[in-house]
């Protein structure tokens, strides 16, 4: 009987210990995230890139990327283009211009990986004049700066020729991922609404696919989208 009693007490102790431990672990776990409020699309964009060699010995290579916002979450497309004309860079009210320096280039088989760091400025220009054809990069930094960021990005592309005769040509596509931190944000009037594209200190991600420009005017043309990983970074509108 004594042996049986000891076994029962030990089982009871183990059961209580496991229950207490489980409760402690559950209490330490964070509440579940509301995934419907994060990873939200912010805007879509179209643009192109021009890479430049170092300006002198010991200086890094540089790159500029510029274009326009083709869609903004929370706004109709008609609201972000001049009325009565085709919706393209020449009629876009919101444009962007990026300055950057190349930090590192890594060759990995047929892939080339480029790391850059830089800044983005988004402009609101009520008299749009973007020009991707000539091209005129400065035409995308007219107007009022309404959002600025610091960022780092990774470019992955394949420019090496195939070592095997008869292989099809490379696609000449490149893929880029950005990590942005908002450094300034200003409200601006768009029709009867007041718009804010983000909040200082918040972050978002940017992704694009691009192709080599065989005309040689620029290095590549691209399109993509951005997503916010902070539910507070959203387009807000107020009448």
């Amino acid at each position: 009987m004594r042996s049986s009693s000891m076994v029962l007490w030990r089982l009871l102790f183990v059961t209580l210990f496991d229950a207490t431990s489980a409760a402690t672990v559950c209490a330490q776990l964070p509440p579940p995230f509301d995934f419907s409020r994060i990873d939200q699309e912010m805007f879509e964009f179209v643009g192109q890139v021009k890479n430049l060699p170092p300006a002198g010995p010991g200086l890094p290579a540089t790159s500029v990327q510029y274009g326009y916002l083709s869609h903004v979450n929370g706004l109709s497309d008609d609201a972000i283009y001049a009325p009565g004309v085709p919706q393209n860079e020449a009629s876009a009210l919101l444009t962007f211009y990026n300055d950057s320096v190349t930090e590192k280039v890594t060759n990995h088989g047929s892939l080339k990986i480029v790391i850059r760091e830089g800044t983005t400025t988004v402009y609101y220009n009520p008299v749009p004049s973007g020009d991707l054809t000539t091209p005129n990069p400065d035409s995308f930094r007219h107007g009022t700066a309404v959002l600025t960021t610091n960022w780092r990005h990774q470019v992955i592309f394949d420019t090496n020729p195939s070592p095997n005769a008869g292989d099809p040509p490379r696609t000449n596509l490149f893929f880029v991922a950005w990590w942005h931190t908002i450094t300034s944000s200003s409200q601006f009037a768009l029709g009867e609404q007041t718009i804010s594209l983000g909040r200082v200190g918040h972050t978002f991600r940017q992704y694009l696919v691009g192709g080599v420009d065989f005309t040689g005017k620029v290095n590549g043309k691209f399109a993509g989208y951005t997503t916010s990983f902070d539910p507070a970074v959203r387009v807000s509108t107020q009448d």
Side-chain angles (χ1 to χ4, degrees):
M1 292 293 295
R2 180 176 298 178
S3 177
S4 298
S5 297
M6 290 297 293
V7 169
L8 289 173
W9 276 109
R10 287 174 181 173
L11 287 173
L12 179 60
F13 175 78
V14 169
T15 301
L16 289 173
F17 177 80
D18 288 344
T20 302
S21 299
T24 301
V25 171
C26 289
Q28 292 174 345
L29 290 176
F33 291 105
D34 180 1
F35 286 101
S36 67
R37 297 184 61 202
I38 65 175
D39 198 15
Q40 298 288 314
E41 180 190 37
M42 292 177 64
F43 51 80
E44 299 165 14
F45 58 89
V46 177
Q48 52 198 36
V49 54
K50 181 65 175 178
N51 300 324
L52 303 169
L59 297 177
T62 60
S63 177
V64 295
Q65 306 97 38
Y66 52 89
Y68 64 100
L69 305 193
S70 55
H71 174 74
V72 176
N73 188 23
L75 298 175
S76 71
D77 287 351
D78 288 343
I80 61 172
Y81 292 95
V85 293
Q87 295 183 349
N88 54 32
E89 78 276 11
S91 61
L93 303 179
L94 295 169
T95 61
F96 67 89
Y97 189 95
N98 298 352
D99 276 307
S100 65
V101 297
T102 300
E103 298 289 340
K104 182 169 62 173
V105 177
T106 303
N107 291 306
H108 180 52
S110 66
L111 300 178
K112 179 177 286 188
I113 299 97
V114 180
I115 303 298
R116 295 192 181 101
E117 294 185 352
T119 61
T120 289
T121 304
V122 176
Y123 296 88
Y124 167 61
N125 183 10
V127 186
S129 59
D131 176 9
L132 293 175
T133 303
T134 303
N136 181 6
D138 285 339
S139 66
F140 294 91
R141 48 181 175 179
H142 291 163
T144 303
V146 294
L147 188 77
T148 63
T149 74
N150 288 335
W151 54 259
R152 175 184 174 91
H153 79 196
Q154 179 195 65
V155 186
I156 302 175
F157 61 98
D158 187 353
T159 59
N160 296 326
S162 173
N164 302 315
D167 277 1
R170 301 293 185 186
T171 62
N172 291 295
L173 294 179
F174 55 90
F175 306 84
V176 189
W178 264 270
W179 296 266
H180 288 267
T181 300
I182 296 174
T183 54
S184 72
S185 179
S186 302
Q187 291 186 339
F188 61 99
L190 191 61
E192 297 180 353
Q193 297 175 314
T194 299
I195 309 300
S196 175
L197 294 178
R199 297 183 183 180
V200 173
H202 292 178
T203 61
F204 63 91
R205 305 294 182 260
Q206 181 177 2
Y207 307 94
L208 67 79
V209 177
V212 171
D213 176 30
F214 293 104
T215 69
K217 291 182 178 180
V218 294
N219 292 93
K221 297 178 180 292
F222 57 76
Y225 62 95
T226 65
T227 60
S228 170
F229 280 73
D230 188 323
V233 183
R234 301 177 65 183
V235 175
S236 62
T237 60
Q238 294 179 346
D239 291 336

